[in-house]
């Protein structure tokens, strides 16, 4: 943004111009000199302020922005820290007297001005403030808006400093308990060809709600001070597919995505390979090849990342996407898979296709 005259600068400019004109008309050389000096003051201040842009040149200021946590779940608070650093003496001169203001999307700021805690040192200025992630998506943060004045208060200039950052907001999730006795019962293990594990082929993991107490390893639990259970790595866990039928209403869409993601994560945490079918995103379908994500932090992160950009489908595409997901599942169905479907009212052909999964 170009420099602009303040009310004082406008007043001095008008007074200087009138003084020069009046002095010439009256033949008063002193009055002409005073008016000319006033005009030179305004012009010089304007030029100096324009040339001292803190975001340009060899002595420009650097901006570091850090968001924690990032990404953040919808409905949670993230803490943002911004540091403006001057690398040399000329940069420190530019840093002095700057007024800093941060910009943020309404989904992060709630439509209100951000209020930050400011810490100034000789070489830097730091801002720290919280933002509330209201909705799932990618929302802009920054750049900084810096306002500077000349020493006489004649000219004011505002400009952007630093780059814009985008905060990724995951869908809101709820921790759901998974009853292991129901999802991984002995008949299921027999169907999968699993045998009862021995001590040699068992791994220990933290006890979770629903675990069979007969699998608790009491000696290791006493040594660690927390319950741990034996998990048979070779027995395997039944794979899980979560099918989503996305509605068009914004509130229903977010509710469906939140519930489907929560169920998929709960199954992952319980040790099941999981895939989520139905919604396309900017990164493509979640499982185009029918592969299941193995439990782990990377699988959780990938699933959540892909849900960020999911949008409501067009009315004519909603059931087509669900049918495509069902056909993909039927083509790779192993017979021992757990299927969870979140659906709304469906047409008869779609209901018929979905009913085939029960076989």
């Amino acid at each position: 943004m170009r420099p602009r005259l303040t009310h004082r600068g406008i007043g001095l400019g008008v007074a200087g111009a009138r003084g020069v004109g009046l002095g010439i008309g009256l033949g008063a050389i002193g009055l002409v000199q005073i008016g000319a000096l006033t005009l030179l003051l305004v012009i010089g201040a304007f030029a100096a302020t324009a040339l001292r842009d803190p975001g340009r040149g060899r002595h420009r200021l650097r901006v570091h922005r850090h968001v924690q946590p990032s990404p953040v779940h919808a409905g949670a608070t993230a803490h943002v820290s911004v540091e403006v650093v001057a690398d040399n003496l000329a940069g420190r001169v530019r840093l002095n007297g700057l007024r800093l203001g941060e910009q943020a999307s309404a989904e992060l700021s709630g439509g209100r001005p951000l209020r930050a805690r400011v810490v100034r040192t000789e070489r830097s200025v730091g801002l720290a403030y919280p933002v509330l992630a209201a909705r799932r998506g990618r929302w802009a943060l920054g750049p900084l808006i810096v306002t500077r004045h000349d020493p006489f208060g004649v000219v004011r200039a505002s400009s952007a400093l630093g780059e814009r950052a985008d905060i990724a907001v995951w869908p809101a999730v709820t921790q759901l308990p998974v009853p292991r006795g129901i999802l991984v019962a002995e008949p299921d293990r027999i169907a999968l060809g699993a045998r009862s594990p021995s001590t040699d082929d068992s791994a220990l993991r933290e006890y979770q709600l629903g675990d069979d107490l007969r699998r608790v390893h009491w000696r290791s639990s006493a040594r660690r001070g927390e319950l741990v259970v034996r998990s048979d790595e070779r027995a395997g866990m039944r794979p899980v597919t979560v099918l989503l039928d996305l509605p068009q209403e914004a509130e229903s869409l977010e509710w469906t995505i939140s519930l489907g993601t929560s169920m998929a994560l709960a199954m992952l945490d319980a040790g099941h390979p999981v895939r989520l079918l139905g919604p396309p995103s900017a990164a493509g379908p979640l499982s185009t090849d029918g592969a299941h994500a193995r439990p782990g932090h990377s699988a959780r992160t990938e699933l959540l990342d892909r849900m960020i950009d999911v949008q409501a489908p067009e009315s004519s595409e909603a059931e087509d996407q669900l049918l495509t997901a069902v056909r993909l599942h039927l083509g790779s169905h192993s017979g021992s898979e757990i299927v969870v479907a979140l659906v709304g009212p469906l047409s008869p052909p779609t209901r018929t296709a979905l009913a085939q999964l029960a076989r």
Side-chain angles (χ1 to χ4, degrees):
M1 186 180 297
R2 296 192 307 175
R4 294 184 178 180
L5 294 175
T6 63
H7 293 297
R8 180 185 300 176
I10 294 174
L12 287 176
V14 172
R18 288 183 177 179
V20 171
L22 186 60
I24 293 175
L26 297 177
I29 298 177
L31 187 58
V32 173
Q33 292 175 339
I34 294 175
L37 287 175
T38 305
L39 286 176
L40 286 175
L41 171 65
V42 174
I43 295 172
F46 194 93
T49 304
L51 293 174
R52 292 178 55 193
D53 188 343
R56 297 180 181 179
R58 291 186 306 159
H59 309 297
R60 63 179 178 271
L61 304 177
R62 294 183 293 109
V63 178
H64 303 286
R65 183 180 285 104
H66 180 68
V67 182
Q68 184 65 31
S70 180
V72 61
H73 285 283
T77 298
H79 296 276
V80 183
S81 59
V82 183
E83 187 179 26
V84 183
V85 181
D87 294 324
N88 48 47
L89 181 59
R92 291 178 220 167
V93 173
R94 293 186 176 188
L95 186 61
N96 292 332
L98 288 182
R99 295 180 57 186
L100 305 177
E102 180 75 306
Q103 299 183 104
S105 299
E107 289 80 5
L108 298 175
S109 65
R112 298 183 298 271
L114 297 172
R115 305 187 66 177
R117 179 171 56 87
V118 181
V119 177
R120 289 184 177 269
T121 65
E122 183 181 357
R123 296 175 177 268
S124 66
V125 177
L127 306 176
Y129 58 91
V131 292
L132 177 62
R135 294 189 331 166
R136 175 184 59 89
R138 302 182 190 272
W139 311 116
L141 188 64
L144 278 173
I145 298 298
V146 294
T147 303
R148 58 194 187 279
H149 295 79
D150 69 288
F152 304 102
V154 174
V155 180
R156 178 182 67 249
S158 297
S159 59
L161 184 62
E163 299 294 332
R164 192 188 83 165
D166 288 330
I167 294 184
V169 181
W170 285 335
V173 297
T174 302
Q175 185 174 0
L176 302 176
V178 178
R180 292 177 177 273
I182 296 176
L183 296 181
V184 195
E186 287 302 320
D188 299 324
R189 292 189 179 276
I190 294 173
L192 290 171
R195 62 178 179 81
S196 298
S198 63
T199 305
D200 296 334
D201 60 7
S202 293
L204 298 179
R205 59 169 175 77
E206 184 180 351
Y207 174 85
Q208 297 183 15
L209 181 64
D211 282 331
D212 190 347
L213 290 178
R214 291 174 295 181
R215 303 184 65 82
V216 174
H217 197 280
W218 297 107
R219 182 179 301 175
S220 298
S221 298
R223 184 172 63 253
R224 298 187 184 185
E226 60 180 2
L227 287 179
V228 292
V229 296
R230 297 186 300 271
S231 62
D232 183 7
E233 298 295 338
R234 288 193 288 176
M237 300 287 282
R238 294 180 65 184
V240 176
T241 292
V242 180
L243 287 172
L244 292 186
D245 175 28
L246 296 180
Q248 292 181 282
E249 299 79 8
E251 185 176 352
S252 300
L253 175 69
E254 297 305 319
W255 186 91
T256 301
I257 291 176
S258 178
L259 178 57
T261 306
S262 298
M263 291 193 297
L265 293 179
M267 295 297 187
L268 273 177
D269 293 341
H272 295 270
V274 174
R275 65 177 173 181
L276 203 156
L277 296 180
S281 69
L286 286 179
S287 294
T288 56
D289 57 357
H292 289 75
R294 293 292 170 179
H297 178 73
S298 61
R300 289 178 57 93
T301 302
E302 180 184 1
L303 190 149
L304 288 167
D305 285 345
R306 287 181 175 268
M307 300 306 292
I308 294 175
D309 301 310
V310 172
Q311 302 294 329
E314 299 293 336
S315 58
S316 59
E317 299 177 353
E319 288 203 16
D320 291 341
Q321 292 176 4
L322 182 61
L323 276 173
T324 301
V326 171
R327 293 190 184 105
L328 175 62
H329 176 78
L330 289 172
S332 59
H333 188 51
S334 62
S336 62
E337 191 167 346
I338 299 170
V339 181
V340 181
L342 277 70
V343 297
L346 302 174
S347 64
T350 308
R351 290 201 301 269
T352 300
L354 195 60
Q356 295 180 21
L357 297 178
R359 300 177 184 176

